[in-house]
Each structure stands twice: as structure tokens, then as C-alpha cells.
Amino acid sequence: MGRFIKILGGILAVVVVISVGAVVYVLNIDLNDWKPEIQSAVKDATGRTLVIQGPIEFELGTDTRLKATGISLSNADWGSRPNMVEVDSVEVSLKLFSLLGSTPDITLAHVDGVRAIVEKNQQGVSNTEFKTAEAEDGKSDDKESHSSDDFSGDGELTLPIIRDLRIADVEVVMKDPAVGPDRVFTLTELTLGSQSETDPLKLNLDAAFDDLDLVMSGSMGSLQTMTDSSQPTPVDFVGNLAGIDVAIQGQIQDLAGQEGIDVKVSALGDELANVAQIAGIDVPRLGGFKVDATLKGDGDDLSVNPLVVDMGTADVIHVTVNGTIKNAVATEGVDLAVKVNSKQVGNLSPIAEKFSGQKVPALGPLDISLNIRGDLADELSVEDLSLNLGTKEMIALVVNGGIKDIVKQNGIALDIAANSPELGNLSPIAKEFSGQSIPKMGPLSMTAKVAGGMESGLGLTDLAMDMGKPETIQVQVNGGVADLLAQKGVELSVKAVSPEVGNLSPLVKAFTSVAVPALGPLNLNLKVAGDAQDVMTLSQLDLELGTEKTLLVEAKGTVTDLVKLSGADVSFKVVSPNLSVLSDLAPGIPPIGPVDVSGSLKGDNGKPITLDPFTAKIGGSDIAGTATIDATGDVPKMPTIPHIVIIPSMHDSCPP
């Protein structure tokens, strides 16, 4: 849009230059004779063809008038239209002798019937990129490209008196295949003007962006106040932009120097989705919003004090922001209090699905409060963070702490707690998102600390988790992880206790049809330490399962590397009056009588496993010695028994 205005302004400037030239060099001249020179100059400057179909009307006098009709500028060769800009008429009138003074007096400037297109091709090239004659000849345009950099100075602002500016009946189409459908800006009418140096400059705008109306009216002081730094320039604009009520009110002490700004900006809208639509983003309805900001200071040191933002609705999500920004230009001295709440986070699913394709589980209400403080270029921190998510009936998550630098994501220090009276209450949500339900396992209680950052590593410390209930199984996990992202520095202890493993059958049946036999109690203690991607060590294994009346399994030992399953050194004992008690787990086990097996297992993954020593009482036989089992191939090899003693039972040697 800015490029289009520049193009239109360039055409107008050409016309003005023509009028000034006429004043200086000739008194009676037909400017229509100059059309070829004008077209040639535009061709050299843009590489495009300028056409002025109608006559150029020129009247020289105290009130000098210039009018041209049927103006067009050709489009890029690849453009979807032959012309980039078409203008029905341009008319300018000015007080001739005001050009000799310090304040040009433009009595009339009218532009009517504009049709334009701003577009990009598939390669992303815009039709506003022109080819100059110098560029086509391979010459650089250093003088022109650097002309703006050569200007400096503290000269006072010189503004013309514009008594009657009107731009009407404008349509600008914006095409970009990478963005989506065409956007259309229409301007029914824009008027701007003042009758004298002391009269206020009045503005009226009636336009639309796609189907969104843009209406604005108001005034901005007078030409005298704008050019005199000792007089403040009042600002008073109100309007409705795409359904947003906008007000800009206040004053600027020195408009030219952009100093002494004291302006309040307010925006009030019924629906946030309308704002997103202006940017071409289609989002579900979120509710209304209100923004109030008071801008104070100078152009390069502009504060916002106060800033008040209230947007959305608690039915979906409600956000409030209150505070100040010491320097909004440099984003320094930020001190903002932010609150976010939602009655049900699951109601955010339409928004999440729009941008990520994922739903948000209906965990319950969300309440967040935090303070943002600091400087964007130095350190912008989150302090006093408090997050509460969920319900006591399902699961409640609480997070407290802060982040020292949210830009670099360093200095994270969070305390986390999660509690649920029954994990099975999460089953409907789990089934919706994973297809797997959660059995009635009992309550969950978890606390932990997360500290560190993306550069130094994010650590989990003081983890304490207690899950389950005494009548089925209770699991406790304690420890931490030095670097969660790299999965390094794992140090966890796990304890599981059950009075009767048979009571786990309802839990197991949620995942498989196999029942757990009533073997007796379970006591398990584990300690794990190391790195998940390198060496993970099982430094303690202490297992006791069942009773000697059914099946007793005991195991103690260590595994040097759990990842590679190497360095195993585990002593074990298995005692049972009859292994047929395991028929529910492994059908077909014969009733071979009592079993009493013990030994020590040593070995590495991919290598033969050694049982040394090894003793077994199976049925009526006693076996003792050492054995090596090679399970490295597709078919396990029979044990190699370098030393074994078989002692027949008395029943076998002395039959009745």
C-alpha cells in the first residue's frame, strides 16, 4: 500500500513539476505538447509506460490550476493486468505566489477513480520493483540511492496549507500466491484540509479492507501549531477500523522534532477474530477486547504509562495486561502484570487445531499470573509465576517460580506439583488422545523442581512421586535428571509394594487379557543412574515376589549398562511347591513337583550368559554346578555344563 501511495505521489509530483516549470520558463504553453517528454522521463525512471489519454488542462494565474485525465501506468510483463495503476483524473490548484514564501498554499488537490493492483509472482517478485534505464544499461544509481542518506540537519518542519484534499473511488487489489486469496482495499473517500494557518487540519476517512469497514474522523491542530515548537499540536481522532472503535487523543509539543508527546490511544472491539482477519489469519471467535495506552515522551524515548489490556472471555481464554514500559521504542523498563484464565482449557481446542492440528484435553480451568520485567536487549524476566490447571476431582497441576531470561530461555526455576485422587479419572481423556484407557490405579502425588536453561541444561531435581493405593500397588519414585533435554545425569530410585500381586489383575486387564495369579506380596527396590544415550547403570536391584507356598522369587544385583544390557551380576532364587501355579501366565506348565533354584547370573548382551554358582532342586533331582547359556543366535543353544553334580533323591534310589 505504501508503494502504491509513492507511485501515486510520483505521478502527482510530475504534474506539479510541470506547473512550476511552466511558471518559470513560459507563460503561454500547451503542456499537451510535452506528453512525449513526460512519458519518456517516467519510462527512464520506472521502466514502465505512462499514458495520459485526456488533455492536460493548465491555467496560470494567481490561482494556478492543473488537471489531467485518463492516466495509466503499465504493469510488469508478468502481471495479471495490463496496467498497474489507472487514474480517472488528477486536479491540483495552488496560490502561485505562495511558492515564493515559506508556506505553499494548495487550495485544491483531488484524485478520483483509482484502480490499482499490487501483486507478486510465483517467484515472490513484486510488480512495485521497477527497472530504471540506468539499471537496464548496467549502470549503478549510487547518487539516487544514497540521496536520502546525505540529508541531515535540524531544520524546522515546513508544511503546506492544504485547504481541500480529496481522494475518492479507489480500489487496490493485493495478490500474493504465497499468502492466499486476493485482498481488496477500497477507499470511498478521504478528505483532509484546513482553511488557514490557524484552522485545525480536519480528516475524514471512509474505506474498507475486504469486508471490514475503516472509518476515521477528527483533527490535528493547525499548520501554525505544527510548525511552531512553542505551541502544542492537539490530536483528536475517533473512528471504527474493522469493527474496532479507535480513539487517539492528546497533544504533541513539537511535531517536527517528535518531542513532548502525550497521547492516549484506545481500542475497543467486540471480537478478536476480526483483528486477526485484517492480517489474513482466520481464527475462531475469542471474544472482545479493550486496549488503553498513554504514550509520553519523545520519538526515540517514548514511554507507555499506563498500559491496560483486557481481551477474550473466560469461556475460551481471558487475558489482562497492566503496567508500564519505560521506553517502548527500545523495549526497556518493562514492568507488566499478566493474568490468563479459562473456565475450561479444552475450549481452546478449535484454536489449537487451527494452528497445530491438535486438540487440548479438557482438564478443567486454567489460572496463570506472572510479572514481566526488564529490558528486551538485556534481560527480560518472568517473575512470580503462578499456574493452576485442572480440578481436584481429576488432576490438579500447580507451577510456581520464574524465568530469568525468557528470550534466551535461561535461568528457569520452577516448582511443580501434581495431585490426583484417582488416575483412572483421566481415562476418558487418555482414550481420546491415545486410544488407551487408564485403569483405576489410585491417587497420584508428585512434586519436583525444574531449574537451568536451554544453554546450561534443564535439570529436574527433588522429584518425589507417590502413585497407587495400598490394596493394589504403591509406586514411589525419587531423584532427578541433571539434563532433561540431553537425558543425562539420571539418578532415580524406584520402590514398588503390593500386598498381593493378584490384586493387579484388574489393572493388567486394561492392557492385556492375561490375569495375574495370586502369588503373594511384591517388594521391589531399584536404583538407576547414568545417561540414557550413553551408559545407564542399575546400581541396585532388590526384588521379592510371592511366598514359598505359591511361588517365591528373589533377585538382587546390578547391571553395569542397562542400555546395552551388559555387565549383569544378579543373584536369584526361585522356590515353589509346584510351578503349575503359573499356568495362568504360561499355559502348559507340567506339575513337576517342588522347585528350589538359586544361583548367580553374569554376562553381557550378545554374549553367552554364565550361571555360577547354580543349584536346583526340581522334582526328585538335585542339580549343582555351573552352566553357560548361549542365546546369541536365532536358536538358543543348550547349556554348556562344565561342572555339574546330579544327586538322585531317596525316593528314586529306594523304591518301595
Side-chain angles (χ1 to χ4, degrees), residues 292-296 302-308 323-328:
D292 289 316
T294 300
L295 310 179
K296 295 182 179 180
L302 195 63
S303 70
V304 182
N305 184 11
L307 171 64
V308 180
T324 62
I325 303 175
K326 188 175 181 180
N327 188 334

Side-chain angles (χ1 to χ4, degrees), residues 326-470:
K326 188 175 181 180
N327 188 334
V329 179
T331 322
E332 296 176 348
V334 178
D335 189 356
L336 301 174
V338 182
K339 291 186 177 181
V340 181
N341 68 84
S342 172
K343 293 179 180 179
Q344 173 55 262
V345 292
N347 294 340
L348 291 169
S349 283
I351 301 172
E353 286 182 299
K354 182 71 179 180
F355 294 99
S356 68
Q358 299 290 329
K359 290 184 177 181
V360 178
L363 294 173
L366 169 70
D367 284 287
I368 302 174
S369 64
L370 57 93
N371 293 310
I372 300 177
R373 297 189 176 103
D375 306 331
L376 182 62
D378 184 17
E379 223 172 52
L380 198 61
S381 65
V382 171
E383 302 175 7
D384 308 319
L385 169 64
S386 175
L387 179 149
N388 291 271
L389 171 65
T391 63
K392 294 180 179 179
E393 294 75 23
M394 187 175 292
I395 189 167
L397 175 66
V398 178
V399 180
N400 293 284
I403 303 173
K404 189 176 181 181
D405 190 337
I406 58 176
V407 178
K408 297 180 180 178
Q409 299 180 24
N410 288 326
I412 298 170
L414 303 174
D415 294 332
I416 303 173
N419 291 278
S420 173
E422 172 54 67
L423 281 171
N425 295 343
L426 293 168
S427 191
I429 295 175
K431 198 164 186 177
E432 179 184 0
F433 284 84
S434 67
Q436 179 64 59
S437 60
I438 299 176
K440 295 286 186 180
M441 301 178 65
L444 166 71
S445 176
M446 187 275 291
T447 59
K449 295 180 182 294
V450 176
M454 298 298 104
E455 296 177 354
S456 60
L458 197 61
L460 176 71
T461 60
D462 301 332
L463 171 64
M465 184 178 75
D466 197 331
M467 179 176 64
K469 47 190 175 182

